[in-house]
Amino acid sequence: MARANAAYYARRNPFADFTTAPEIGQVFGEVLGLWAAMVWDSMGRPERVLLVEAGPGRGTMMADALRAAAVLPGFLAAAELHLIETSPGLRAEQARRLPGAIWHDDLAGLPPGPMILLANEFLDALPIRQFLRDDAGWQERWVEDGASTLRPTEFEAAGEPGDIRERCEAALTWTAALAARLGAQGGAALLVDYGPAESGPGDTLQALRQGAPADPLADPGTADLTAHVDFAAIAGAAGPAAVHGPLPQGVFLARLGLFQRTAALTAAAPQRAAALAAAAHRLTAPEAMGRLFKALAICHPDLPLPPGFAA
Ligand code: SAH
């Protein structure tokens, strides 16, 4: 599954298969940009800060974020833009929207220094392992010649026959490295993704091809594969850093002023009123993206509670 998804992002235009919050409305990236600027302010306005996005897709969110963050004088002059992206095609698209950015294959490639990292739907794209429980115990699901097979595993957990458990080691390792870096060098990260607040059993591997559900094992590399993010496990992996949330996306965006920003955009362009209202609804309504999607912040322990996370 790991290789199928890497091949997918490297070769295809994923946005033909699914849409994401930044593509739904400019307000999403704008409020995240304000979040980043306010965090910089709370860090004591360092002269230089790495502004990092992991998995920037088409670059839409960061372009919207930078435009909005310009309201805080000094932030853009301090911010050095770094993008973590493995897909050559998406890097080219990001370069068109984000001139002056510096690209990296992974976190380890970033230069040292305090940073503010944003990521939307990055963790859900990392490969998972699936474990199935039968009467004899747990087995791991592997993919062989396009079909799923079961193999012995060292995995251990409580469970009933028929249970399925998922583990995204790539996301846990990545989060641990992120938290270690924030603890040592300062800064904060905001991870927005979809999944439950509590860990639980279930098969959440999902494939989308041109907006429609597809068989995850058919034609590897041609469908977008994602799985729910286990926020409790991610928070656990953040170790000594301070973890805030997860908060439902709708609550988080409303606290950051998404509706006020929508009203201002509507006043400036009344002909866009219906589209702006539809985007705000889709991003925040519990039955749309407002509840399943969540925001989690990981911060240097000395930083105050980041914007949006106060009760
Ligand atoms: N954040 C964007 C795109 C989400 S899709 C949005 O919200 O629209 C996932 C993104 O992560 C894509 O840009 C994909 O190419 C990138 N990606 C997937 N696996 C990656 C990995 N292991 N390292 C770096 N980037 C990765």
Side-chain angles (χ1 to χ4, degrees):
M1 285 181 227
R3 255 171 285 145
N5 226 24
Y8 167 78
Y9 282 109
R11 294 199 208 108
R12 313 234 330 168
N13 167 19
F15 295 92
D17 296 313
F18 64 92
T19 190
T20 57
E23 306 298 331
I24 289 169
Q26 70 186 76
V27 284
F28 182 81
E30 288 174 345
V31 298
L32 265 58
L34 289 178
W35 187 91
M38 289 186 282
V39 168
W40 172 72
D41 186 54
S42 77
M43 289 162 70
R45 301 188 168 221
E47 239 169 70
R48 169 180 173 261
V49 70
L50 273 63
L51 178 60
V52 183
E53 183 174 355
R58 302 176 61 204
T60 309
M61 183 180 99
M62 188 53 86
D64 292 335
L66 292 174
R67 199 176 52 248
V71 300
L72 196 64
F75 176 58
L76 293 188
E80 194 179 283
L81 185 58
H82 293 268
L83 305 176
I84 300 173
E85 175 61 67
T86 41
S87 155
L90 288 177
R91 278 189 181 199
E93 193 154 345
Q94 292 153 18
R96 283 195 286 278
R97 290 191 175 81
L98 302 167
I102 303 159
W103 279 266
H104 308 273
D105 287 331
D106 51 37
L107 269 180
L110 292 170
M115 75 167 170
I116 299 172
L117 179 142
L118 305 175
N120 182 61
E121 290 212 48
F122 171 68
L123 296 176
D124 72 33
L126 300 179
I128 59 160
R129 296 171 69 185
Q130 270 191 350
F131 304 93
L132 282 72
R133 173 116 185 173
D134 62 16
D135 293 328
W138 292 97
Q139 301 194 74
E140 179 164 2
R141 180 179 273 171
W142 287 74
V143 179
E144 218 166 31
D145 301 328
S148 129
T149 60
L150 293 174
R151 293 192 193 162
T153 175
E154 78 297 345
F155 181 76
E156 273 304 328
E160 304 286 320
D163 276 0
I164 297 180
R165 285 270 174 182
E166 294 175 340
R167 196 158 65 186
C168 187
E169 271 144 15
L172 300 177
T173 311
W174 188 85
T175 304
L178 171 69
R181 182 190 159 116
L182 291 171
Q185 303 184 42
L190 181 68
L191 309 178
V192 182
D193 225 305
Y194 78 119
E198 303 296 332
S199 308
D203 176 359
T204 74
L205 183 67
Q206 167 182 289
L208 281 182
R209 190 179 292 115
Q210 289 171 351
D215 174 358
L217 303 186
D219 304 325
T222 68
D224 178 55
L225 294 183
T226 63
H228 279 190
V229 170
D230 182 343
F231 278 100
I234 294 293
V243 179
H244 308 287
L247 272 186
Q249 171 172 296
V251 173
F252 178 70
L253 295 177
R255 285 183 182 171
L256 286 174
L258 179 128
F259 291 104
Q260 289 86 337
R261 178 67 187 147
T262 298
L265 290 169
T266 306
Q271 74 283 5
R272 293 177 60 206
L276 290 164
H281 177 83
R282 192 165 167 196
L283 292 169
T284 59
E287 71 278 13
M289 297 171 77
R291 187 164 27 218
L292 179 59
F293 280 77
K294 308 218 168 39
L296 184 84
I298 303 175
C299 302
H300 186 280
D302 294 347
L303 284 185
L305 210 55
F309 287 89

